Amino acid sequence: MQAFQILDIKGFMEKLLIDSAFDHFLLSQAAVTTFCTFTIDGHFFNEYFSDSERPPQSYPLWSQVRPFCFSLIKGKRSPLEMKIVFRLSDANAGRLLSQNGIPLTEEDIEGLYLNIRYDGKGLTCITGTSLKLFTLDRTLELAWDRVTGLFLKRQGIPYEAL
């Protein structure tokens, strides 16, 4: 687990809510507090879709939900609080495993998460790793922490590692 204190909140929020920087992440859950709290459960309900429409993953892409979250936040006032939990897609998790020579499979991973928390004053991104099996090996966790830091740098998001 690695925490990243975001130094340019306005720039980060623009990349999150307007640009496509985070669009490849899956949305696990979100909560935005303005005049009340709006909560989004990112799990797809398969019964909503016909067989031909059913998405291949269990969660929506951020690009599908981003406009709704932006509509909750846009305006002159900042939200009082915001929490977003992103999940790395299975394909990208598999790529992370192979690029780092980690002897796990996609099926071994419950999820690789990026938790975004804004409390009205500061914004923090915290990585999380959940496995379906027990291991003392932290190679995957450390690789996910490193890749997340590289992602933030590539997006031009200044941060301080905590």
Side-chain angles (χ1 to χ4, degrees):
M1 179 180 83
Q2 176 68 57
F4 302 91
Q5 182 72 43
I6 303 303
L7 302 176
D8 177 11
I9 295 172
K10 184 178 179 183
F12 180 92
M13 293 298 250
E14 183 176 312
K15 290 189 181 294
L16 178 69
L17 298 167
I18 299 169
D19 295 347
S20 61
F22 292 86
D23 282 359
H24 66 280
F25 284 101
L26 302 176
L27 178 69
S28 179
Q29 60 183 309
V32 177
T33 303
T34 56
F35 62 90
C36 65
T37 299
F38 300 89
T39 305
I40 300 170
D41 176 352
H43 292 88
F44 275 135
F45 292 99
N46 286 331
E47 50 278 354
Y48 179 79
F49 302 100
S50 69
D51 288 341
S52 63
E53 295 174 317
R54 192 162 289 132
Q57 70 274 358
S58 299
Y59 300 89
L61 288 166
W62 174 241
S63 61
Q64 296 172 291
V65 183
R66 179 169 40 92
F68 299 104
C69 288
F70 179 67
S71 71
L72 296 171
I73 295 172
K74 71 180 179 182
K76 295 180 182 177
R77 297 181 182 174
S78 297
L80 298 174
E81 185 176 75
M82 181 181 71
K83 297 176 186 177
I84 298 174
V85 179
F86 286 135
R87 178 185 175 101
L88 196 64
S89 71
D90 291 344
N92 285 334
R95 209 170 293 121
L96 180 68
L97 291 173
S98 66
Q99 289 173 350
N100 289 277
I102 300 170
L104 296 171
T105 66
E106 292 173 29
E107 293 76 29
D108 296 331
I109 301 172
E110 181 65 38
L112 297 174
Y113 299 98
L114 179 59
N115 299 281
I116 298 170
R117 294 181 182 209
Y118 174 70
D119 64 4
K121 299 177 189 118
L123 195 148
T124 307
C125 295
I126 303 169
T127 61
T129 305
S130 178
L131 296 174
K132 295 178 183 175
L133 53 87
F134 177 77
T135 180
L136 294 174
D137 186 355
R138 295 187 53 221
T139 307
L140 176 60
E141 179 182 344
L142 295 173
W144 176 229
D145 294 346
R146 183 180 51 76
V147 166
T148 302
L150 291 172
F151 168 77
L152 293 172
K153 282 183 183 176
R154 275 195 311 271
Q155 297 303 322
I157 298 171
Y159 66 84
E160 178 180 302
L162 302 176

